[in-house]
Amino acid sequence: MLSQQGLIMIFNTCINHKGFSLLELTLVIIVTTMLLTFAVPSMYRAYLEKAGTKTALEIQNIQDAARSYYLKNGSWPSSINTAPNDLESSFYLPSGWNAVNPFNNSYTTSSTSALFTVSTNVADGAQNIVASKLPLSNVSGVTVTSTIGLPGGSATPPVFVVTGNIGDGGTIPLPSGYTDSQCQWLVASRSAETYDSSGKDGCENDQYITATITDRVVAANTTGDCRRGYVSNTVNYIGICINA
């Protein structure tokens, strides 16, 4: 099989001719397609990493501003930029601060007497990137939620429940402020990939997922008479973390 460097050499050889034959044009198309096949997933992953990191940083900026607001006013802000009692018009965030993440989704806030929460939706695949960089993070679908406690108080509430879904081989992010020994995890099947290896119908009812978790790493395998060991599955998870 040709290496990527070999493909590039063929490509360069073709384009250095004065004209293109049909064969050369076909080779150029094939080479370009193969190069894009290699490059696009890597570029998209880099985009998710960069945008996810920026999202986490902006959530932290909102949380820092909310702590400052609480220290002066004795209560949490009502919102990010909807007056009154918001962070922007109270000058805890810059005027005109954009409350939209790099994935073009808004940040929303909510609070109780003791906790302040920021939530936002991200692109699928970026959830764990964002959650791993935030305190008390929770992933549910494409929604990432991060919670902070009272300034000067405990950084972690006594009990914190984490829910979400994750694919086979994925690692559930540990909520910031907790250790593995403080959390217990459960996983349950969410969906199974049905398939009839003979090309005929009739196997769908014989497919099911076996879901297990070890050190927060999930294994989700489809089993049954028609397909065994298929691993492109997703499971739901729940974690209960106790700050004792």
Side-chain angles (χ1 to χ4, degrees), residues 2-16 27-28 31-32 34-35 38:
L2 287 173
S3 66
Q4 186 173 354
Q5 184 177 5
L7 293 173
I8 294 174
M9 291 177 62
I10 294 174
F11 181 79
N12 289 335
T13 299
C14 291
I15 64 175
N16 285 333
L27 282 173
V28 169
V31 168
T32 302
M34 295 185 71
L35 290 175
F38 289 125

Side-chain angles (χ1 to χ4, degrees), residues 54 58 62 80-81 88 93-102 104-107:
K54 189 172 187 294
E58 290 179 348
I62 297 170
I80 295 174
N81 54 10
E88 186 178 318
L93 285 173
S95 178
W97 194 83
N98 186 15
V100 175
N101 69 25
N104 203 33
N105 294 313
S106 298
Y107 295 106

Side-chain angles (χ1 to χ4, degrees), residues 200-224:
K200 299 179 180 179
D201 295 330
C203 291
E204 285 79 2
N205 294 331
D206 194 32
Q207 304 297 305
Y208 57 93
I209 294 177
T210 57
T212 60
I213 181 170
T214 304
D215 296 330
R216 292 185 285 111
V217 178
V218 171
N221 298 292
T222 297
T223 61

Side-chain angles (χ1 to χ4, degrees), residues 81-95:
N81 54 10
T82 302
N85 305 319
D86 64 301
L87 291 172
E88 186 178 318
S89 66
S90 300
F91 307 107
Y92 292 91
L93 285 173
S95 178

Side-chain angles (χ1 to χ4, degrees), residues 12-113:
N12 289 335
T13 299
C14 291
I15 64 175
N16 285 333
H17 286 305
K18 293 182 179 179
F20 282 94
S21 68
L22 180 59
L23 176 60
E24 288 172 335
L25 183 60
T26 301
L27 282 173
V28 169
I29 294 172
I30 292 173
V31 168
T32 302
T33 301
M34 295 185 71
L35 290 175
L36 288 174
T37 300
F38 289 125
V40 169
S42 177
M43 292 172 61
Y44 184 66
R45 182 63 184 176
Y47 158 72
L48 291 180
E49 288 281 355
K50 183 177 180 179
T53 299
K54 189 172 187 294
T55 298
L57 179 60
E58 290 179 348
I59 291 176
Q60 289 173 340
N61 289 340
I62 297 170
Q63 292 172 333
D64 290 342
R67 287 190 185 97
S68 297
Y69 184 100
Y70 191 97
L71 286 171
K72 183 173 181 179
N73 299 281
S75 62
W76 296 113
S78 60
S79 67
I80 295 174
N81 54 10
T82 302
N85 305 319
D86 64 301
L87 291 172
E88 186 178 318
S89 66
S90 300
F91 307 107
Y92 292 91
L93 285 173
S95 178
W97 194 83
N98 186 15
V100 175
N101 69 25
F103 303 102
N104 203 33
N105 294 313
S106 298
Y107 295 106
T108 60
T109 65
S110 61
S111 62
T112 65
S113 59

Side-chain angles (χ1 to χ4, degrees), residues 135-136 147-150 153-157 176-177 243:
L136 299 181
T147 302
I148 58 173
L150 296 176
S154 173
T156 57
S176 179
N243 182 25

